[in-house]
Amino acid sequence: MLLKKLAQSCGVSGNEKEVRDLILQEVKPYVDKIVIDPIGNLIVTKKGRNNLPSIMVSAHMDEVGLMVKAIDDKGFVKFLPVGGIDDRILVSKVVQIGTEKIKGVIGAKAIHLQKPDERKKALKHDQLYIDIGAKSKEEAEKLVSIGDYISFCSDYIEFGENLIKAKALDDRVGCAMLINLLKNNYDCTIHALFAVQEEVGLRGAKVAAYRLNPALSIVLEATTCHDLTDVDAPHFSTKLGEGPALSIADMGTYYNKNLVKKVIEIAQNNNISIQLKQTIKGGNDAGVIHTSREGIPTVALSVPCRYIHSPICVINKNDYKNMLNLVDLLLKNLKKEEII
C-alpha cells in the first residue's frame, strides 16, 4: 500500500531524500516535467490546456524527528528535537539513526532512582539519551555521528473501524493523496509540490511558491484531532471520522473566502462529509504560499490526525478517501474568475 510505504520511509526535516526518491518513482509515468530544486523540493508538472490558470497542489515530505547532538564517554547519544515534539512522548521509544538506520532506545534514569520531586515533572529531552548498545564513545562513533538524523520506528497498523496507526502521517497522507491525484487528468495545469522542511519553518514551500507563481493553491495536510473524552466542542479542533477538515484561519493564514465557499459547495453538492477546523492554533505551508509575490489565493484541506507529531499518529481511512474525492472534484471545477 502506498501510504504504508510512505509512512515507513524516513524523512526528518532537512533529510527528505528517501521519501523524495520513493515519490519520484511513483509519479514519473504520469507527469510532463520533474524538477528537484536546490533546497530539495520535488516539483512535478502535469500540463493542461494553455488557456486555463495553473494550480499548485502541495504536501510536505518531511516529518518531525531528532538529531544527534553529542556522544558521551559511555557511548550514549544525546540529541536535539527537529520540529515540534512534545518531550513527554520520547521516553522508551525505539529510534533509528543515520543512513545505516542504527537502532536505539530513548532512555532515562529509572523511576526507582528518581527523587520524589523528579517524578512530578515530565523529563525534558536534554535529560534523556539514546542507548545504541555501545560500551564507549569510540564504539558509538563507529556507528553514528554528530548531525545524524534520527527517526522513530513505528509499524504501520490498521485497527478498529477503518483506523490506521503509523509515524509521519503528517504529512505522508497528503503526499499519498497528491500522488494519486497525478494519475488523473485535468483541464488545468497542475504543479504538484512535494515540499521539504515544513516542520521547521515552511521553508520549502516558500521558495517553490515564488518559483512557480501559480494562479491558485491547494494545501493537503494532516491536522490536530483532539476529540478525546476530556475535550468539549469547540476545543476539539477536529473529529476523527467526520470528514476532511477545512481551515478558515490559523496562526499563519486567513484563507481565501471564495475558495473556502467553493470547497463547501462542492462537498454539499456531492454528499461528501466535511468539517470546519474549530481552532486556529498551528499552521501549514499556506502561511508562506498565500503571501508569495503578489499573493496567491490558497485553501487548505486536512485529514484529522490523533496524536500528531508522535510515533503513533492515527487517522480514519474514510476521512482520507473523502478528502481525495473532494480535492479531485475541486480540481475539476475550479475557475480563477470565481475566486478572485
Side-chain angles (χ1 to χ4, degrees):
M1 182 181 178
L2 177 59
L3 182 55
K4 180 178 180 179
K5 289 194 293 184
L6 288 166
Q8 293 189 326
S9 297
C10 298
V12 177
S13 299
N15 189 47
E16 298 90 350
K17 184 180 186 302
E18 183 178 327
V19 182
R20 183 174 61 238
D21 288 347
L22 173 57
I23 293 172
L24 187 55
Q25 292 305 310
E26 293 286 339
V27 302
K28 241 180 207 178
Y30 305 103
V31 300
D32 301 300
K33 184 180 179 181
I34 295 171
V35 172
I36 299 174
D37 71 10
I39 200 171
N41 291 314
L42 172 60
I43 305 169
V44 299
T45 300
K46 191 173 181 104
K47 293 179 181 177
R49 300 207 312 263
N50 291 330
N51 61 331
L52 291 176
S54 65
I55 299 175
M56 185 176 79
V57 188
S58 69
H60 67 87
M61 297 184 287
D62 60 313
E63 64 191 276
V64 297
L66 310 168
M67 180 183 284
V68 176
K69 173 186 177 182
I71 301 168
D72 72 15
D73 291 339
K74 295 181 180 179
F76 295 117
V77 176
K78 302 295 286 185
F79 59 87
L80 294 168
V82 178
I85 297 180
D86 185 343
D87 287 342
R88 293 173 298 176
I89 64 115
L90 293 173
V91 178
S92 78
K93 298 303 184 294
V94 180
V95 295
Q96 49 198 356
I97 306 176
T99 55
E100 298 300 317
K101 299 187 178 180
I102 301 301
K103 296 295 189 293
V105 177
I106 300 178
K109 185 196 296 185
I111 193 168
H112 313 77
L113 304 177
Q114 292 176 17
K115 297 175 182 178
D117 60 328
E118 289 180 308
R119 299 180 189 181
K120 298 176 183 179
K121 300 176 182 178
L123 295 171
K124 302 296 184 183
H125 67 266
D126 55 6
Q127 296 174 278
L128 306 174
Y129 56 84
I130 299 173
D131 184 347
I132 60 171
K135 296 178 181 178
S136 66
K137 182 174 183 178
E138 291 73 23
E139 188 176 332
E141 287 178 335
K142 294 176 183 178
L143 299 172
V144 302
S145 301
I146 293 173
D148 279 352
Y149 287 91
I150 306 165
S151 61
F152 296 110
C153 294
S154 179
D155 292 335
Y156 177 101
I157 296 172
E158 297 191 13
F159 71 105
E161 188 174 345
N162 293 312
L163 301 184
I164 294 171
K165 185 280 295 183
K167 75 170 183 66
L169 294 179
D170 174 18
D171 183 32
R172 304 291 159 71
V173 290
C175 292
M177 208 171 295
L178 188 45
I179 291 167
N180 282 312
L181 289 168
L182 288 169
K183 297 176 183 178
N184 302 332
N185 293 314
Y186 301 100
D187 288 338
C188 57
T189 292
I190 304 294
H191 298 296
L193 166 63
F194 298 93
V196 298
Q197 299 187 43
E198 190 268 356
E199 299 292 3
V200 290
L202 321 182
R203 297 170 185 173
K206 182 175 183 178
V207 298
Y210 187 91
R211 178 191 188 109
L212 294 169
N213 195 26
L216 304 168
S217 176
I218 303 169
V219 176
L220 310 181
E221 259 286 11
T223 195
T224 310
C225 176
H226 194 53
D227 55 351
L228 307 177
T229 54
D230 60 338
V231 181
D232 298 318
H235 305 295
F236 54 71
S237 183
T238 65
K239 288 186 175 182
L240 217 63
E242 295 198 1
L246 175 63
S247 295
I248 305 297
D250 58 36
M251 295 181 74
T253 310
Y254 288 109
Y255 291 90
N256 182 276
K257 293 294 187 292
N258 290 329
L259 266 174
V260 168
K261 289 178 182 176
K262 187 68 175 177
V263 171
I264 294 172
E265 174 191 312
I266 291 172
Q268 290 174 341
N269 290 343
N270 292 276
N271 297 313
I272 299 173
S273 297
I274 191 173
Q275 57 185 307
L276 299 180
K277 186 176 177 181
Q278 297 293 303
T279 61
I280 64 168
K281 291 181 179 179
N284 56 56
D285 279 333
V288 292
I289 293 171
H290 83 288
T291 56
S292 181
R293 293 191 183 238
E294 294 86 6
I296 300 170
T298 303
V299 69
L301 280 158
S302 305
V303 175
C305 181
R306 285 181 184 158
Y307 325 120
I308 202 165
H309 284 202
S310 84
I312 53 164
C313 302
V314 173
I315 65 166
N316 187 300
K317 286 195 283 187
N318 288 336
D319 292 337
Y320 174 91
K321 291 174 183 176
N322 280 326
M323 183 163 144
L324 180 59
N325 188 21
L326 180 56
V327 177
D328 175 58
L329 290 168
L330 184 59
L331 290 172
K332 290 174 179 174
N333 290 279
L334 264 183
K335 297 178 182 178
K336 183 179 179 181
E337 60 270 20
E338 294 178 346
I339 305 306
I340 301 174

